[in-house]
Amino acid sequence: MPLRERFLRGPGLRETRALGLAVSGGGDSMALLHLAAETGIATRAVTVDHGLRPEAADEARAVARVCAGLGVPHDILRWEGWDGRGNLMDQARRARLRLIADWARAAGLEAVALGHTRDDVAETFLMRLARGAGVDGLAAMQAVRRAEGMVWLRPLLGIGREELRADLRRRGASWIEDPSNDNPAFERVRVRQAMESLADLGLRPERLADVASHLAEVRDALDLQLREAAGRLAQVDRGDVVLASAALELPPEILRRLLRAALQWVASAEYGPRGPALGQAIRRLSEGTTVTLHGCRLAPRREGLRIGREWQAVRSVVAAVGERWDGRWDLQAPGGADFSADGLEIRALGPEGLTRCPDWRASGLPRPSLLAAPSVWHGDALVAAPLAGLSNGWTAVADPLQNGDFLSLLSH
């Protein structure tokens, strides 16, 4: 099958009317650019300059020139958030996703295509295998994923890196070789070098990618069981997740998935808790013990297991009115009035705020959940605590989390 047709068979591609392209200038993303332009899909490209190498700005401009020649609109975004601390690669990746998602929404794009290939699947498989990952970690990366409020497509997952470069050479097109791709200080580079030896054992990238794809099918089957269990045993109560007592009797893998999804949503986190910590929490819950994990409080109660935000995790979280608080809470003023310029802040209610809500018991929510509930303040004055019976016309709604939407498990 011609490369163009294999590209178009990527999930979600034909249905997308306005597509963004993340183009770094490397061989994979430049192949993505040329294939998308050739197929006539309405596209707009973007390059993120992380400001980490002096050549990066020139490389972004080189991509812009290629896009101009192909008739593809192009924008350059710059990240200036690196403070010299923490994991540089991880921070750069997260920042790139946020920047591109904001750019795509502003441009009215429906999805953004990334240039990950079959080789990336194989390399990621080996990296995660070395860390002792389970099914989800070893499964092939998803061809369609939603994160940061945007749909991300990976239409090149079934195509090898060298085949894409051969296509670029056939076109007479160039690409940029990032020097970090040869730096053994990076884990992916070391894995890439080791794969040359593994090929002699039959463990070529295509074979490793096939195994990862089989595990992706296993992951999908487990997710079907997760959805059935969530629809039967879980409900959302004003931002808390409540699981029926029978949830603790689920098969261990389904229970882990259900708890991980719930914790990820309640904590507004990109990822769930690590396996060992979650396993220890499950053992303690089975003994009837209240557990704190991942910024959440898991409390066995008469109605079941209640999972809510832990006050200590949000006591310092502050947002302006009109902004989302703690990643998932939207607070609306009475009559839709705009109080954004009135010095109001959204904060956790906390013990002091709760004492100012005389009717909080009538809400039916337990005290720990209310301590971590969103409330509106003007300095030291409590203006509203919608979940604690002091609304003053304000409402608080926990929207679906953009990363790992737990509520979608309940919508079937």
Side-chain angles (χ1 to χ4, degrees):
M1 182 184 299
L3 185 60
R4 176 181 180 277
E5 289 303 314
R6 291 161 61 197
F7 166 73
L8 279 174
R9 288 169 67 91
L13 206 57
R14 291 184 185 272
E15 298 82 10
T16 303
R17 292 168 297 179
L19 178 69
L21 303 173
V23 184
S24 66
D28 301 340
S29 64
M30 291 300 284
L32 173 70
L33 170 64
H34 282 276
L35 284 167
E38 180 183 65
T39 55
I41 299 172
T43 58
R44 187 177 191 93
V46 65
T47 302
V48 177
D49 173 9
H50 294 92
L52 302 175
R53 296 185 296 111
E55 309 91 341
D58 289 337
E59 292 170 357
R61 286 191 286 269
V63 173
R65 288 193 291 272
V66 174
C67 287
L70 294 172
V72 175
H74 177 266
D75 299 292
I76 297 175
L77 307 177
R78 185 172 176 83
W79 178 55
E80 298 176 339
W82 173 239
D83 58 5
R85 296 179 294 181
N87 186 320
L88 170 59
M89 299 300 286
D90 184 62
Q91 288 190 37
R93 179 189 64 82
R94 292 169 185 265
R96 182 165 59 248
L97 282 180
R98 287 194 299 269
L99 285 170
I100 294 177
D102 291 343
W103 164 84
R105 283 192 295 270
L109 302 174
E110 298 175 350
V112 176
L114 304 172
H116 295 115
T117 68
R118 184 173 60 203
D119 295 77
D120 291 302
V121 173
E123 292 160 9
T124 301
F125 175 86
L126 288 178
M127 290 165 62
R128 293 178 176 173
L129 182 65
R131 299 172 196 162
V135 170
D136 284 359
L138 297 176
M141 58 184 70
Q142 295 172 310
V144 181
R145 175 174 176 253
R146 186 171 184 86
E148 299 292 340
M150 181 54 54
V151 176
W152 306 85
L153 306 178
R154 295 185 175 106
L156 304 180
L157 288 183
I159 303 173
R161 185 176 293 141
E162 183 51 41
E163 185 177 0
L164 292 171
R165 280 158 174 71
D167 185 66
L168 288 173
R169 287 190 286 268
R170 178 185 63 79
R171 298 175 187 272
S174 61
W175 64 90
I176 299 163
E177 291 291 357
D178 186 339
S180 67
N181 289 335
D182 295 319
N183 186 349
F186 296 108
E187 180 187 18
R188 187 172 291 274
V189 174
R190 297 194 299 273
V191 167
R192 194 171 294 169
Q193 293 168 346
M195 286 177 65
E196 297 176 7
S197 300
L198 292 176
D200 295 335
L201 301 175
L203 297 176
R204 298 181 181 279
E206 51 268 32
R207 176 61 56 84
L208 295 171
D210 283 345
V211 174
S213 295
H214 296 329
L215 289 170
E217 294 174 357
V218 175
R219 177 192 61 201
D220 292 344
L222 290 170
D223 282 344
L224 283 176
Q225 294 185 52
L226 168 63
R227 288 182 178 277
E228 187 279 331
R232 180 166 49 90
L233 300 171
Q235 61 179 335
V236 172
D237 181 16
R238 290 162 289 182
D240 288 357
V241 173
V242 181
L243 303 180
S245 299
L248 293 176
E249 301 172 6
L250 288 168
E253 179 61 22
I254 304 306
L255 175 58
R256 281 193 292 268
R257 288 171 176 272
L258 182 57
L259 287 176
R260 186 169 61 233
L263 288 164
Q264 186 177 345
W265 184 69
V266 172
S268 304
E270 183 176 359
Y271 300 104
R274 293 187 178 276
L278 184 57
Q280 183 180 14
I282 291 173
R283 287 191 292 273
R284 294 179 63 195
L285 289 170
S286 67
E287 299 167 355
T289 304
T290 295
V291 174
T292 56
L293 177 66
H294 215 52
C296 301
R297 184 176 185 273
L298 298 84
R301 297 172 61 87
R302 187 162 40 194
E303 75 271 22
L305 176 64
R306 180 174 285 269
I307 304 172
R309 202 68 160 111
E310 184 189 7
W311 175 59
Q312 292 291 346
V314 293
R315 62 182 303 177
S316 300
V317 177
V318 179
V321 170
E323 296 177 348
R324 181 165 288 189
W325 183 77
D326 193 33
R328 63 191 178 118
W329 286 101
D330 287 329
L331 271 73
Q332 297 295 325
D338 183 5
F339 289 96
S340 58
D342 289 2
L344 300 181
E345 291 181 336
I346 304 172
R347 307 200 295 260
L349 184 57
E352 182 181 348
L354 192 61
T355 63
R356 306 182 194 184
C357 303
D359 298 326
W360 68 266
R361 289 179 178 83
S363 71
L365 281 171
R367 184 175 185 273
S369 295
L370 290 173
L371 294 180
S375 54
V376 184
W377 296 77
H378 188 276
D380 293 332
L382 178 62
V383 175
L387 301 186
L390 187 70
S391 69
N392 286 331
W394 289 75
T395 59
V397 177
D399 277 1
L401 180 64
Q402 295 174 351
N403 302 311
D405 176 5
F406 179 78
L407 298 188
S408 70
L409 299 177
L410 313 180
S411 62
H412 66 290

